Amino acid sequence: MSTGRTGETGAPSATTASGTDPHRWWGLVVIALAQLMVVLDATIVNIALPSAQHALHMSDGNRQWVITAYTLAFGGLLLLGGRIADLAGRKRTFVVGLIGFAAASALGGAATGSGMLFGARALQGAFAAVLAPSALSLLTTTFTDPRERGKAFGIYGALAGSGSAIGFIVGGLLTEYLNWRWCLYVNVPIAVAAVLGASALLHDRPGHTGARLDIPGAILGCGGLVAIVYGFSEAEPRGWTDPLVLTLFASGAVLLTAFTWWQSRAPHPLLPLHIVRDRNRAGCFLTMMLAVIGMFGLFLFMTYYLQVILGYSPVRAGLAFLPLTAAIITGSTQISARLLGHVAPRVLMVPGQLLAASGLLLLTRMTVHSSYAGEILPALVLLGLGMGLTFMPVFATATAGVAPRDAGVTSATVNTSQQVGGSIGTALLNTVATTSSAAYLTAHLHDPARRAAVVPEGVVHGYTVAIWWAAGVMLLAGLVAGLMVTARAPGHGAPAEAPVPESVT
C-alpha cells in the first residue's frame, strides 16, 4: 500500500496525501462553491430574461444571446482553460478565474444596454472556462484515497447535476423580490468568499513551466467547438438548412478534424489523444454529453410550461424544480457515493439513465391541465435520481488515474462534454418542439373560435414530442455507458494508466 507520505512534489507536507491534509474537506467546500456558481449561471438568468429584455429594450431575436454568449464562450474555451490550468498551476488559475468571473458578473449587473450585457456574459463564459477545469482537477489531486474520493465526487457530482436546477430557484427568488440584475450581482460575494477560502485552504503542485501552450491546437480546437456550438444556437431561430448554420457545422467539422490531426503531431498537445483513446474515459465523455442533451432540453420546456401554461410566478416555477435538485443530490451523495467503491461505474450509470428516461417518459403524458403533484413531481424525482446516479461515477471515472500534468485538460474535457451537450440539447429539442407545435396547429386550428384552447394544446404537444426524443437520447446514453465503461469498482483495483503518486492501492 502506498501511503504517499513522502514529499517528492515539493508541495507542503500536509497536502502530499489526501489522508493527511486536515483542511481537505473545507477545501472541497470552496471547490464546490465555485463549481456551483459556474453551473447555475448557465440557467440563473433564464427566469429573469423577460425582465432584462424589457429593461434593456432587447428584440426577441437578440434576447437569446444572454444565454448563448455564456454557453458559447464556456463550451468553446474549456479545453484551452484546462491546459492553462496544467501549465500555470491549478490553484493560481482557480483564483484568477474566480476574480475574473466576479468582475464580469458585476459588469453584467451594471449593464446599460444589451451589447454591454452580451459582452459581460461572454466574459463570464471565458472565465468559467478557466475556473471549471481547475476546480475539478484540484478535487482530483486533493482526494486520492478511493473511499474519500467517492464521497468528494458524490458531493461534486450532486452540485454539477443540480446546479442548473438551483439556478432556476435562485433566479426566480432574485427576480421576484429584488430585480434581474441581482442574478448577476449575486456572484460577486460568492466569488470573494471562494477566493478567500482558496487562499487559505487549497494547495497545489507547481505548474509545468517548461511546457509550451499549443497555440495552433487552441485555435483549431476552440474554433471548431465555437463553430459547432454557434451553429446549434443559430439552428433554432434560422432553421437547420439555413446556409449560415450549414456553413458553421461544416467549418466546425473541418476545424475539429484538423485539430485531431495536429494533436497527434504537436510537441505539447492541447488535448493529448491518449486521454480520449482510453475506452472508459471516452465512454464517460460521451455518456455525459448525451445525458445532458436530454436534461437541458427539459429545463427549457418545463420553465415555459410552468410559467406560461400553468401560470406559475417566477418564484413558484423555480421552487417547482426543488424536488429535482433534492433527488439529484440524494442519488449522487447517498447512493452513488456509497456504492461506487463496491460496484463498477456502469452498474450505477446504466440504471441511472434508465431511471432518467422513465421520468421523461412520464412527462410525455402531460397536458394543459396536468397536476404538478400527481404527474410532474414523480417524473422530476425519477429524473433527478437517475442523473444523480450517473453524474458522480462519470466525474470520478473520467478523472481517475490521470497523470497530474493532464488533470486540468481531462477535467476540461468532462466539462466540455457537459456544456456542448447542453447547447446541443437546447437547440435540437427546441427545434423539434417548435416544429411539432406548428404541425399540430396546422392540423387542428380550423375554427378561429377555438384558438385560445388549441394554441396551448399545440405548445404542450410540441413539448411532449421533444421529450420523447430526450428519453431516446437518455436510453442511448445508458447503452453507451453499458458498452464502453468497463472499469471495475475503484476499491477493487480499477486500472489506471497513470495513477496519481499519492493514491492508495
Side-chain angles (χ1 to χ4, degrees), residues 102-434:
S105 298
L107 182 66
T112 56
S114 58
M116 184 175 174
L117 180 58
F118 299 157
R121 289 288 285 169
L123 273 176
Q124 277 187 305
F127 281 108
V130 173
L131 179 59
S134 58
L136 182 53
S137 56
L138 278 169
L139 181 66
T140 301
T141 54
T142 299
F143 292 92
T144 54
D145 182 288
R147 291 165 296 182
E148 292 195 343
R149 183 182 176 89
K151 295 177 183 177
F153 273 90
I155 296 169
Y156 185 90
L159 290 173
S162 63
S164 298
I166 294 173
F168 287 115
I169 299 170
V170 176
L173 290 169
L174 293 174
T175 301
E176 189 155 329
Y177 294 112
L178 294 173
N179 63 53
W180 67 269
R181 295 181 184 275
W182 279 97
C183 292
L184 295 161
Y185 285 145
V186 71
N187 292 319
V188 177
I190 295 174
V192 169
V195 167
L196 295 175
S199 300
L201 299 169
L202 296 181
H203 306 278
D204 188 25
R205 298 178 178 85
H208 298 275
T209 54
R212 302 288 182 89
L213 192 63
D214 178 17
I215 300 300
I219 295 172
L220 292 172
C222 297
L225 286 174
V226 167
I228 295 292
V229 175
Y230 187 23
F232 274 105
S233 70
E234 288 296 299
E236 190 271 319
R238 293 175 177 269
W240 294 99
T241 58
D242 183 83
L244 175 62
V245 174
L246 294 176
T247 299
L248 286 168
F249 285 150
S251 300
V254 169
L255 287 170
L256 290 178
T257 300
F259 170 77
T260 303
W261 173 83
W262 172 249
Q263 294 308 282
S264 65
R265 291 160 175 77
H268 303 286
L270 185 67
L271 175 62
L273 293 184
H274 67 82
I275 290 175
V276 293
R277 285 187 183 130
D278 178 84
R279 176 174 180 158
N280 292 300
R281 203 164 286 128
C284 287
F285 296 152
L286 188 54
T287 299
M288 171 64 82
M289 186 177 71
L290 292 171
V292 172
I293 284 176
M295 190 174 76
F296 266 58
L298 176 72
F299 286 158
L300 179 69
F301 302 141
M302 291 309 297
T303 300
Y304 279 92
Y305 176 77
L306 293 170
Q307 293 190 74
V308 177
I309 304 300
L310 298 186
Y312 283 21
S313 68
V315 169
R316 191 179 178 190
L319 292 175
F321 285 96
L322 189 57
L324 172 67
T325 303
I328 292 176
I329 293 173
T330 300
S332 185
T333 61
Q334 301 304 311
I335 302 176
S336 286
R338 294 176 184 274
L339 294 180
L340 186 60
H342 307 285
V343 301
R346 64 178 172 183
V347 173
L348 297 170
M349 294 162 66
V350 174
Q353 289 304 286
L354 292 176
L355 273 178
S358 66
L360 291 173
L361 289 174
L362 284 180
L363 286 175
T364 62
R365 302 168 57 192
M366 70 184 185
T367 68
V368 293
H369 304 296
S370 289
S371 160
Y372 174 81
E375 298 172 67
I376 308 302
L377 177 60
L380 293 180
V381 171
L382 285 174
L383 176 66
L385 285 173
M387 298 310 289
L389 284 172
T390 302
F391 277 124
M392 184 268 172
V394 163
F395 281 118
T397 306
T399 57
V402 177
R405 66 179 180 276
D406 292 329
V409 72
T410 304
S411 304
T413 308
V414 180
N415 281 285
T416 299
S417 301
Q418 190 174 9
Q419 291 302 314
V420 172
S423 299
I424 292 173
T426 300
L428 172 63
L429 297 179
N430 195 45
T431 300
V432 170
T434 53

Side-chain angles (χ1 to χ4, degrees), residues 1-9 16-20 143-147 205 499-505:
M1 177 184 298
S2 172
T3 60
R5 297 186 182 275
T6 57
E8 300 90 358
T9 63
T16 57
S18 68
T20 61
F143 292 92
T144 54
D145 182 288
R147 291 165 296 182
R205 298 178 178 85
V500 178
E502 297 92 314
S503 64
V504 178
T505 55

